[in-house]
Amino acid sequence: MLEKLLILLFASNVLAQVCMPDAPEAYKVRLSIKTALGDQAYTWNDNELYLFRATLAFAMRNYLSGQLFDVSNILVCNETERVSFWFMVKSVTNPTTLIEKQHVENAIKESRHRINSAFLLTDQTLEFLGILPTLASPFVPATPPWLIAFGVVMGVVGAGIVYFLVAAVVQRKRKKTLDEEEEAKGATENEIAGENLDGIYNTSFSDDEKVTEM
Amino acid sequence: MKLLIPNPGLDKRIHTYDDLERMDREQAEDRPKWDNKAQYILTCVGFCIGIGNVWRFPYLCQSHGGGAFLIPYLILLVLEGLPLLFMEFAIGQRMRKGSVEVWRDINPYLTGIGIASMLVSLLIGLYYNTLIAWIVWYLFNSFQSPLPWTQCPLNENQTGYIAECQQSSTVDYFYYRVTLNTSTSISDSGGIHWPVVVCLLVAWTVIGLCYIRGISSSGKAVYVTAILPYIVLAIFLVRGLTLKGALAGIKYLFTPDVEELIKPTTWLDAGAQVFYAFSLAWGGLISFSSYNPVHNNCKRDAMILTAITGCTSVYAAMVTYTIIGFRATDKYEQCISDNIQTLINAFDLPEINITADNYDEALKYLNSTYTDIVMGLDVIPCDMQRLLSEGVEGTGLAFIVFTEAITKMPGSPIWSVLFFVMLLCLGLSTLIGNIEGVVVPIRDLGLFPKTWPQEALTAVTCGVAFVITLLFAQHSGFYWVTLFDNFAGSVPLLCIGLFEMISVVYIYGVDRFNEDIKFMIGSKPGLYWQVTWRCTSPLIILVILVFYLVIQAQEQLTYLVWDPSSEQFPVLDSVPYPSWINAVIFLLAGIPSLTMPIYALCRLLYVYLKKKSIQ
């Protein structure tokens, strides 16, 4: 009876250290190298997998400071040709237990950019299923550019309107003084050439006002 | 055919030929004059070529059988547009008055036609300038990189994008939410959206500046606003043809579907489009040609303008469809690559197994071997034809489809600026003609004191119009603009055009008209013009009008709403209009159409009562 219990305990310990897909502490990773890099894509091999385990250990070290994670703490299984696999993280302090999902997620989120850069990938091409990619907040400039454009256009239009109005007023004033001069000139001419008043179509008296400045 | 309604006193009201000769010799008229012929032609071209040529004609072309639509369009252009155009030019040049005075001179009972033209120009001008305000907003927002309609804003807890943006698209969100802040129904006004107010201010001040001295200022402005669109279209044509998928778009546009020619709606739409495109019955063309010298060859002008309008429509359609073809191809490839990703993720296949080339066979194989799994996936069928045909009309084309396509071109802010500057110029040049058709009749009717200078008239008109267009700055403004577009610019124009033709041919007298034209340009109009003026054109307009009214009366009036809570979101939901809209529709379409008979009746009553009181 006691031996059976011992064997069961031993077996469960061994099992706890073997990576299993869909385990509560496991994450699935998917890499789309060809999509990201096209012709310059590198082939996925064991060395790349080693680098992955190393970067993940780096992330865990950063997150849980003091605990020195090593490549051997990162367990990988179920590799496919797609380049996807599952991984789990063994604890440093207690080699028989696994780190919980939440801690792994936080560690990855903190060092996500570094992990991506190690593989020349992005949040979309190096997917951790279950961890949402961090969203870049939209770029909002300090002064809305449309306000600047609006100010420029309204300035130009306002200047144009002011120019036209001033020109119209100046022209009207000039016309008024010209009319007054013409009337005075016409009166003196009439006194000089007395008999020729009738029958001449005197254009200086013609209706200037009809020709509006349109 | 001596079918002529007696018209006493006509000779006393209009200039005699001697008067006209004297005015021409001595240049002693008090009307404004064109600086040169080029200004006149450019103003008319700018008036006729508007935003509708860029976004209405390509849609009609493609939805009514592609290249085959050109046949009814060109036929009706020549049978319906050209005769009416020549008639408006000739009558304006002969009478040398604005649109109200021309009809008053022909017969005082016909003044209603001029008033109706003015009302239609006013109503159309109001919503047209709102479109220009939206274009101005997009133009102002194009001076940044990345363009603001490429990004979705984040939601409150920064975990994802705003749901409305996520479900539709960034361009949809920017148009319906950021620009317009659309409410969910036309009855829900929701207050004023101030970015639109600011842009309306810009739009009205710009048009006020262009028209501040009447045609002497607008005549200079048209050198830019009428020529720049052609240059920009050429640039876009070159850019468009070098994009991937452009030829697919052009092929789609010009693939003729000859069966569409048998359908009456095709001919109806072609007829209405000719009318709207030529800006006939707006009153502006009569006004513009009245500033011409007496012996100007208006027949040649009408033919030149018809040719230019027809060619520009086809040219703009080609450019539009290169861009649409590019966008559809891009979306198609995106769709295919998304599906490929889904498949290889589901089956854990290496990435090189399924590519765009063998996608179809791979899908077929997987579907037959693992049918259940494939059913469970979200594999959207990628349909190129559907992508080419979606969202291609009206405001949707410019503000959604085109802006999306521009974001995918390298150097997008430049293309965006160019595109919206082109739309702005197209709109401004049409609006100049529009404002002419509003200000001149108002002055002729005596609603302004005679002592006011032109600047004051323009300022007051623009100011009042700005206040009225604040209606379109509400959250439901988008629905009001659509309402105006559908009803103010359709039936009234057809009615006025019909009345114009009947008045000139049967009340003024087509024989007298022929003599006038012989006096002005030296030769009597030929058989073609006689036949079209007397029977063909009025008949065509009448048929289109009757069919249009019949079709409208049968359908229940619905409109498309942007409703994030509806099931079909992001597709626009089709919702019936509230019942009070019928009153508004009557105001928009009924009053301008009925102005002429109502005015004639009122005048009849007035004259009868006066006679009775004298007796």
Side-chain angles (χ1 to χ4, degrees):
Chain A
M1 183 60 187
L2 200 60
E3 291 107 28
K4 282 210 184 100
L5 274 172
L6 276 173
I7 293 173
L8 216 60
L9 269 172
F10 184 67
S12 64
N13 268 348
V14 169
L15 279 172
Q17 294 187 34
V18 169
C19 162
M20 267 193 317
D22 294 322
E25 299 91 359
Y27 269 108
K28 182 167 182 185
V29 181
R30 194 151 60 202
L31 290 95
S32 313
I33 309 171
K34 200 104 206 322
T35 319
L37 301 169
D39 290 330
Q40 296 171 340
Y42 48 81
T43 27
W44 185 261
N45 51 26
D46 286 332
N47 294 343
E48 304 282 348
L49 189 62
Y50 190 85
L51 177 61
F52 180 82
R53 292 163 78 192
T55 41
L56 226 73
F58 162 77
M60 294 305 300
R61 281 196 187 199
N62 275 351
Y63 180 65
L64 298 169
S65 47
Q67 298 188 37
L68 296 176
F69 285 86
D70 197 7
V71 180
S72 51
N73 293 100
I74 316 291
L75 307 168
V76 172
C77 56
N78 275 55
E79 280 186 67
T80 64
E81 282 187 337
R82 169 70 182 83
V83 193
S84 69
F85 49 84
W86 290 81
F87 75 90
M88 301 198 291
V89 185
K90 249 184 347 189
S91 165
V92 171
T93 46
N94 192 351
T96 47
T97 50
L98 302 162
I99 305 280
E100 282 158 20
K101 243 186 165 172
Q102 192 54 48
H103 292 303
V104 178
E105 179 171 339
N106 292 348
I108 292 174
K109 270 193 181 154
E110 263 184 33
S111 312
R112 189 67 187 262
H113 182 62
R114 299 295 298 272
I115 303 175
N116 287 350
S117 333
F119 291 93
L120 310 174
L121 297 173
T122 65
D123 278 2
Q124 280 75 38
T125 38
L126 171 56
E127 295 168 80
F128 289 88
L129 295 182
I131 303 180
L132 298 168
T134 43
L135 298 166
S137 56
F139 170 68
V140 177
T143 346
W146 72 267
L147 214 54
I148 302 172
F150 168 71
V152 168
V153 168
M154 283 309 275
V156 169
V157 168
I161 292 179
V162 164
Y163 164 74
F164 271 112
L165 289 177
V166 165
V169 166
V170 163
Q171 208 174 34
R172 214 159 292 145
K173 257 203 209 123
R174 205 181 294 157
K175 200 162 250 293
K176 222 196 271 177
T177 48
L178 216 74
D179 274 347
E180 285 167 7
E181 279 177 25
E182 293 246 2
E183 278 192 35
K185 224 198 293 176
T188 52
E189 273 183 11
N190 276 348
E191 286 166 13
I192 295 170
E195 323 85 71
N196 290 352
L197 272 183
D198 309 332
I200 295 180
Y201 181 55
N202 199 337
T203 48
S204 65
F205 281 162
S206 70
D207 302 351
D208 269 25
E209 290 82 56
K210 267 203 203 146
V211 184
T212 50
E213 57 275 326
M214 285 200 192
Chain B
M1 198 161 68
K2 272 294 174 202
L3 189 69
L4 193 64
I5 299 174
N7 197 356
L10 179 64
D11 291 307
K12 286 193 223 113
R13 291 192 292 265
I14 61 179
H15 297 292
T16 61
Y17 290 171
D18 297 323
D19 275 343
L20 291 177
E21 283 290 357
R22 187 181 61 82
M23 285 196 290
D24 193 36
R25 236 184 359 247
E26 295 172 10
Q27 309 271 307
E29 241 181 327
D30 60 351
R31 289 184 74 71
K33 261 195 276 286
W34 296 108
D35 287 346
N36 50 49
K37 186 72 185 284
Q39 241 183 36
Y40 166 62
I41 294 285
L42 280 178
T43 308
C44 288
V45 166
F47 189 22
C48 294
I49 308 287
I51 309 180
N53 287 78
V54 168
W55 74 36
R56 191 113 212 291
F57 180 77
Y59 163 74
L60 284 176
C61 213
Q62 166 265 309
S63 67
H64 286 297
F69 181 74
L70 287 176
I71 301 174
Y73 181 72
L74 291 174
I75 291 178
L76 288 175
L77 199 77
V78 166
L79 280 182
E80 179 199 350
L82 183 56
L84 197 49
L85 191 66
F86 182 25
M87 196 185 78
E88 286 207 354
F89 278 169
I91 203 84
Q93 199 171 299
R94 166 72 178 90
M95 297 296 176
R96 318 198 69 68
K97 301 264 177 72
S99 70
V100 163
E101 298 226 332
V102 159
W103 302 109
R104 186 189 283 164
D105 283 354
I106 292 183
N107 194 313
Y109 286 92
L110 296 176
T111 319
I113 300 181
I115 300 178
S117 285
M118 180 201 77
L119 287 175
V120 165
S121 283
L122 180 68
L123 290 173
I124 293 182
L126 290 175
Y127 87 83
Y128 209 83
N129 215 11
T130 312
L131 294 174
I132 291 184
W134 297 347
I135 290 170
V136 163
W137 167 258
Y138 269 82
L139 176 63
F140 285 169
N141 273 294
S142 306
F143 290 102
Q144 48 184 295
S145 176
L147 293 167
W149 51 84
T150 50
Q151 306 162 350
C152 265
L154 295 176
N155 59 14
E156 290 105 31
N157 38 8
Q158 312 263 319
T159 52
Y161 297 119
I162 292 187
E164 190 180 353
C165 191
Q166 184 82 347
Q167 286 172 355
S168 54
S169 72
T170 54
V171 276
D172 279 319
Y173 182 78
F174 187 77
Y175 179 53
Y176 287 110
R177 188 56 53 208
V178 177
T179 310
L180 300 174
N181 205 359
T182 323
S183 62
T184 53
S185 105
I186 197 171
S187 349
D188 179 16
S189 81
I192 306 269
H193 191 50
W194 64 268
V196 180
V197 175
V198 163
C199 295
L200 277 173
L201 185 68
V202 174
W204 282 112
T205 45
V206 169
I207 191 67
L209 179 65
C210 286
Y211 195 70
I212 197 164
R213 291 244 184 100
I215 63 164
S216 68
S217 56
S218 73
K220 315 272 187 313
V222 288
Y223 283 120
V224 172
T225 60
I227 297 183
L228 190 63
Y230 283 97
I231 299 177
V232 174
L233 274 176
I235 297 175
F236 263 99
L237 184 67
V238 171
R239 171 76 263 213
L241 286 174
T242 55
L243 290 170
K244 186 174 178 198
L247 292 174
I250 294 194
K251 214 175 3 174
Y252 182 65
L253 173 70
F254 287 123
T255 315
D257 180 9
V258 194
E259 291 176 348
E260 285 278 341
L261 289 179
I262 310 173
K263 286 197 216 157
T265 50
T266 310
W267 291 84
L268 243 136
D269 280 337
Q273 174 64 12
V274 164
F275 226 91
Y276 193 75
F278 265 127
S279 313
L280 293 166
W282 291 32
L285 288 173
I286 298 181
S287 236
F288 283 148
S289 65
S290 72
Y291 305 133
N292 272 328
V294 174
H295 294 294
N296 175 51
N297 191 341
C298 44
K299 179 159 77 169
R300 200 176 52 197
D301 293 343
M303 304 213 301
I304 291 175
L305 199 62
T306 310
I308 292 180
T309 308
C311 292
T312 310
S313 297
V314 176
Y315 178 51
M318 269 180 52
V319 174
T320 309
Y321 265 86
T322 55
I323 308 285
I324 288 177
F326 162 67
R327 173 187 171 268
T329 310
D330 184 273
K331 282 204 139 174
Y332 179 73
E333 287 178 355
Q334 185 68 30
C335 176
I336 297 262
S337 66
D338 284 344
N339 285 351
I340 292 177
Q341 279 283 330
T342 322
L343 287 175
I344 57 178
N345 285 352
F347 294 104
D348 279 325
L349 305 164
E351 292 175 273
I352 48 173
N353 267 20
I354 310 184
T355 60
D357 303 320
N358 61 2
Y359 167 73
D360 290 316
E361 297 106 52
L363 180 64
K364 228 180 289 180
Y365 168 71
L366 287 170
N367 208 4
S368 48
T369 0
Y370 307 101
T371 323
D372 308 323
I373 308 179
V374 174
M375 284 294 151
L377 298 172
D378 229 352
V379 179
I380 311 168
C382 302
D383 186 3
M384 186 68 167
Q385 295 297 313
R386 188 182 58 85
L387 287 169
L388 281 170
S389 67
E390 64 178 19
V392 186
E393 185 195 5
T395 54
L397 174 68
F399 297 118
I400 296 179
V401 169
F402 241 86
T403 45
E404 192 178 3
I406 284 174
T407 56
K408 303 206 163 65
M409 296 192 220
S412 14
I414 306 175
W415 298 111
S416 182
V417 167
L418 267 180
F419 175 65
F420 287 110
V421 161
M422 175 186 80
L423 285 187
L424 185 66
C425 287
L426 285 171
L428 272 181
S429 52
T430 307
L431 210 55
I432 288 174
N434 199 297
I435 251 204
E436 171 85 16
V438 172
V439 168
V440 170
I442 291 185
R443 194 187 60 206
D444 290 342
L445 282 172
L447 295 175
F448 283 137
K450 291 261 183 264
T451 49
W452 280 14
Q454 177 70 28
E455 289 89 350
L457 271 92
T458 313
V460 169
T461 313
C462 288
V464 170
F466 168 66
V467 171
I468 300 179
T469 43
L470 290 178
L471 165 77
F472 299 118
Q474 297 171 328
H475 292 182
S476 53
F478 172 69
Y479 307 126
W480 283 100
V481 169
T482 320
L483 183 73
F484 269 64
D485 188 25
N486 287 340
F487 293 106
S490 51
V491 171
L493 290 177
L494 293 168
C495 283
I496 296 172
L498 189 63
F499 290 146
E500 279 187 3
M501 286 210 112
I502 295 177
S503 305
V504 169
V505 172
Y506 299 112
I507 300 180
Y508 183 71
V510 71
D511 296 320
R512 181 190 278 268
F513 193 53
N514 287 334
E515 288 300 316
D516 288 339
I517 293 178
K518 184 171 173 188
F519 168 72
M520 289 195 292
I521 65 178
S523 61
K524 243 171 96 158
L527 181 65
Y528 166 76
W529 304 103
Q530 305 303 323
V531 170
T532 46
W533 283 336
R534 280 178 227 237
C535 40
T536 331
S537 298
L539 208 62
I540 293 178
I541 298 176
L542 190 64
V543 164
I544 294 177
L545 187 60
V546 165
F547 264 101
Y548 184 84
L549 286 171
V550 162
I551 290 179
Q552 282 291 90
Q554 284 176 342
E555 292 172 354
Q556 196 204 17
L557 296 170
T558 61
Y559 67 118
L560 299 170
V561 294
W562 174 260
D563 190 359
S565 57
S566 93
E567 299 142 5
Q568 304 175 38
F569 190 77
V571 175
L572 294 174
D573 210 8
S574 184
V575 162
Y577 272 120
S579 46
W580 54 266
I581 278 291
N582 292 314
V584 177
I585 293 176
F586 177 73
L587 277 176
L588 288 178
I591 296 214
S593 316
L594 295 174
T595 306
M596 195 223 113
I598 290 178
Y599 184 89
L601 282 172
C602 286
R603 192 185 166 82
L604 203 63
L605 200 65
Y606 171 75
V607 164
Y608 173 71
L609 287 175
K610 213 167 151 195
K611 255 194 222 153
K612 267 204 118 167
S613 70
I614 289 176
Q615 285 168 3

